[in-house]
Amino acid sequence: MATNLTIDEIRDYLDSLVPPRPPEMQAMEAYANEHGFPIIGPAAGYLCYQIARMIGARRVFELGSGYGYSTAWFARAVEENGGGVVHHVVWSEELSQKARGHLAALGFGEIVQYHMSEAVQALREASGPFDLIFNDIDKQGYPESLPVIAEKLRPGGALIIDNMLWSGRIFDENDQSPATQGVREFTRRITTDQGWIASLVPIRDGLIVAYKK
Ligand SMILES: C[S@@+](CC[C@H](N)C(=O)[O-])C[C@H]1O[C@@H](n2cnc3c(N)ncnc32)[C@H](O)[C@@H]1O
């Protein structure tokens, strides 16, 4: 058994197993690396794509979409599932415009619907039900998003939530910041609620993958 395996080595290995992405997605990954923009990255993106394919998702709602990297993985799945819609929601005009450029270049212009809005409010106003909901908003907003998500996701649908390891800050008892508390509280709620089957998958910064009963 190898010892002293680092988190970075595991991350690089998992990323290396993901099949090559189109040049536009590679450019999005390079931008994130260069500018420190928090995208989900190849291994977590591929898992999102895989889950969306496994459940045949055709109606996907994303909360906190950035410049569209995670959206691209969901759009690819929806297209391969026969078509549908992926809602891209971010409150920044600049990121929304940037996402439109990337996703049009990838050929997903018809699949993605753009909302420049606070994401939980956009979900509240959206007509569900959705097959899959992905949550990547500011972490202090996680706990209050759960009842809205539960209402809009179909039974048998999948919820994926990013940053559930929060770079290890959840383990630091001195860290009582709203973001860290938000991750802890969301984890407590979803893992103790009888309405969900939820597991934390420790890819990159940790994804909770939950099935709505
Ligand atoms: C972590 S980044 C998104 C990364 C994206 N999911 C990806 O992997 O490509 C989150 C983005 O959502 C925005 N955001 C955070 N909280 C939000 C909220 N409540 N409503 C709308 N946008 C939000 C942030 O400003 C940021 O641009």
Side-chain angles (χ1 to χ4, degrees):
M1 171 93 182
T3 53
N4 302 324
L5 196 58
T6 67
I7 287 174
D8 286 351
E9 284 169 331
I10 295 172
R11 186 203 54 218
D12 290 348
Y13 175 62
L14 297 184
D15 283 346
S16 79
L17 299 178
V18 179
R21 279 78 66 201
E24 188 74 16
M25 283 184 80
Q26 289 178 27
M28 294 162 95
E29 290 166 6
Y31 179 91
N33 283 336
E34 279 158 31
H35 296 85
F37 190 92
I39 63 168
I40 52 171
Y46 197 61
L47 178 67
C48 289
Y49 160 73
Q50 178 184 338
I51 292 167
R53 288 288 276 131
M54 285 169 72
I55 67 165
R58 298 181 72 159
R59 289 179 55 80
V60 174
F61 199 99
E62 262 199 344
L63 300 105
S65 304
Y67 56 77
Y69 181 77
S70 49
T71 321
W73 283 109
F74 289 118
R76 179 178 162 193
V78 165
E79 185 179 72
E80 292 175 7
N81 286 338
V85 64
V86 179
H87 293 266
H88 172 286
V89 189
V90 75
W91 50 22
S92 145
E93 163 81 35
E94 188 192 339
L95 287 172
S96 189
Q97 289 301 336
K98 213 170 161 191
R100 283 167 212 245
H102 286 306
L103 294 161
L106 285 162
F108 299 133
E110 301 294 306
I111 284 177
V112 182
Q113 274 187 26
Y114 298 91
H115 311 257
M116 219 196 68
S117 161
E118 197 290 312
V120 180
Q121 186 56 28
L123 179 59
R124 227 177 248 120
E125 290 166 6
S127 50
F130 295 99
D131 302 312
L132 190 153
I133 296 178
F134 174 68
N135 195 357
D136 199 6
I137 60 172
D138 287 350
K139 310 313 154 194
Q140 57 267 35
Y142 275 6
E144 286 188 11
S145 70
L146 187 55
V148 185
I149 291 168
E151 189 197 319
K152 297 290 180 174
L153 192 63
R154 70 164 165 83
L159 167 62
I160 308 173
I161 314 154
D162 195 24
N163 305 111
M164 300 314 288
L165 289 173
W166 202 221
S167 303
R169 278 168 275 185
I170 48 168
F171 304 114
D172 177 0
E173 287 174 11
N174 295 320
D175 188 339
Q176 299 293 321
S177 65
T180 302
Q181 290 289 61
V183 175
R184 289 190 187 113
E185 177 58 15
F186 187 91
T187 306
R188 189 193 65 74
R189 286 192 199 179
I190 199 154
T191 54
T192 56
D193 185 329
Q194 295 302 306
W196 298 93
I197 302 170
S199 300
L200 204 165
V201 182
I203 288 182
R204 204 187 61 97
D205 199 22
L207 299 162
I208 277 188
V209 178
Y211 170 87
K212 184 182 157 184
K213 292 187 196 169

